[in-house]
Amino acid sequence: MAELSGALTHDTVPDLATRAEALGADDVLDLSGVERVDSSAVALLLEIRRRKGQPLRLQGVPAHLQSLIACFGVGELLTATSET
């Protein structure tokens, strides 16, 4: 399982985007260590999903990121899972 942690913001996402393909290689992306997000986090997740070519399954999605995903209406592309 791939993991992302810390801040997923305008300042950090460009560096993480270079790893988008590798992050999407696993079945589930664990976000339980993510502490801060802005709309760039959603853009990063959508880029990982685009490179994966299928819905991206997320685990441990923080509430503030869930709110952004819902706000942008992309929940069908970024699927939260309760698997461990």
Side-chain angles (χ1 to χ4, degrees), residues 38-43 46 65-75 78:
D38 63 17
S39 61
S40 299
V42 177
L46 289 172
L65 182 53
Q66 288 177 357
S67 296
L68 284 174
I69 289 170
C71 178
F72 292 122
V74 295
L78 306 171

Side-chain angles (χ1 to χ4, degrees), residues 7 13 20 27 31 37 40 48 50 58 63 71 75-76 80:
V13 164
D27 288 339
L31 301 173
V37 300
S40 299
I48 295 169
R50 184 188 69 78
L58 306 173
C71 178
E76 289 182 18

Side-chain angles (χ1 to χ4, degrees):
M1 173 183 333
E3 298 177 3
L4 283 174
S5 60
L8 298 182
T9 63
H10 177 73
D11 294 328
T12 63
V13 164
D15 291 333
L16 294 170
T18 62
R19 299 178 32 219
E21 197 160 330
L23 289 168
D26 290 328
D27 288 339
V28 178
L29 181 59
D30 182 11
L31 301 173
S32 58
V34 172
E35 299 167 359
R36 203 170 69 237
V37 300
D38 63 17
S39 61
S40 299
V42 177
L44 173 65
L45 295 174
L46 289 172
E47 177 62 15
I48 295 169
R49 188 262 184 232
R50 184 188 69 78
R51 292 187 186 190
K52 187 173 182 67
Q54 58 187 339
L56 181 60
R57 294 174 43 212
L58 306 173
Q59 177 177 318
V61 182
H64 46 287
L65 182 53
Q66 288 177 357
S67 296
L68 284 174
I69 289 170
C71 178
F72 292 122
V74 295
E76 289 182 18
L77 301 174
L78 306 171
T79 307
T81 181
S82 59
E83 291 181 24
T84 58

